Each structure stands twice: as C-alpha cells, then as structure tokens.
Amino acid sequence: MSELKPDAEVISVLIERFNKQRLPRAMGIKQRLDQGEKLSDADMTFLEHVLADARKLQPMVERHPEHQQLVVKAISLYQEIVAKAAENET
C-alpha cells in the first residue's frame, strides 16, 4: 500500500505531461504523416523516448488498472503514427 500514494503523485504528473506535451506533439506528428510527410530525426527521438518511458512505467500501470484505458488509447495513437510513417516510407 505504501506505493499507492507516491504512484498517485507520479501518475498525476505523467497525465499532465501527456496532455500538455506528448499528446499535442503526437497529434502534430500524425497530422504531418497524414499529409504524406516522413518522420524527422526529432520525431524518431521523441517516439523512442515515449517507448522507453512506457516500458519503465508498465509496473505502475499494472498496479493501477483504472488508468489502463488511457494507456491503451495512447499506445494505439503511437501505433497509428508508426504504421503511417512506415507507409510513407514506401
């Protein structure tokens, strides 16, 4: 139980960061890809950081299933970005 309070604080910060930084940037990348552009090096770096963070946060998400739907939606968005980027490369 001692992990739950610190987890709640971390989750709060992560949700704020997602809403204010990561989601807008991901949506911008997706919009550019939908217009036929390719991923830039900065986009690739951003996506690599997101993936690394997601791996580190997996145990916390498992402890807090109430946030799994948000995580699933975010992962779905990033999968769409990667799929569209691959499509644009061909």
Side-chain angles (χ1 to χ4, degrees):
M1 284 295 203
S2 63
E3 291 179 350
L4 295 181
K5 183 164 175 42
D7 280 359
E9 294 168 1
V10 170
I11 289 169
S12 176
V13 169
L14 292 173
I15 290 173
E16 182 176 352
R17 180 174 68 177
F18 178 77
N19 287 328
K20 290 183 177 180
Q21 297 173 4
R22 291 196 168 172
L23 181 58
R25 184 157 181 197
M27 294 302 293
I29 292 169
K30 185 175 183 317
Q31 183 177 13
R32 289 194 336 269
L33 292 172
D34 287 343
Q35 295 172 357
E37 293 184 31
K38 296 181 179 182
L39 286 177
S40 69
D41 289 341
D43 295 337
M44 291 292 293
T45 299
F46 168 74
L47 293 171
E48 289 168 359
H49 286 299
V50 168
L51 180 60
D53 286 351
R55 285 186 181 130
K56 287 186 244 176
L57 295 172
Q58 186 175 358
M60 187 182 314
V61 172
E62 290 171 358
R63 289 192 301 271
H64 298 277
E66 67 273 19
H67 297 291
Q68 286 181 349
Q69 186 175 8
L70 174 62
V71 172
V72 167
K73 286 182 180 184
I75 290 170
S76 177
L77 173 61
Y78 292 117
Q79 287 175 330
E80 288 177 35
I81 289 170
V82 170
K84 189 64 175 179
E87 181 183 315
N88 290 355
E89 288 294 325
T90 58

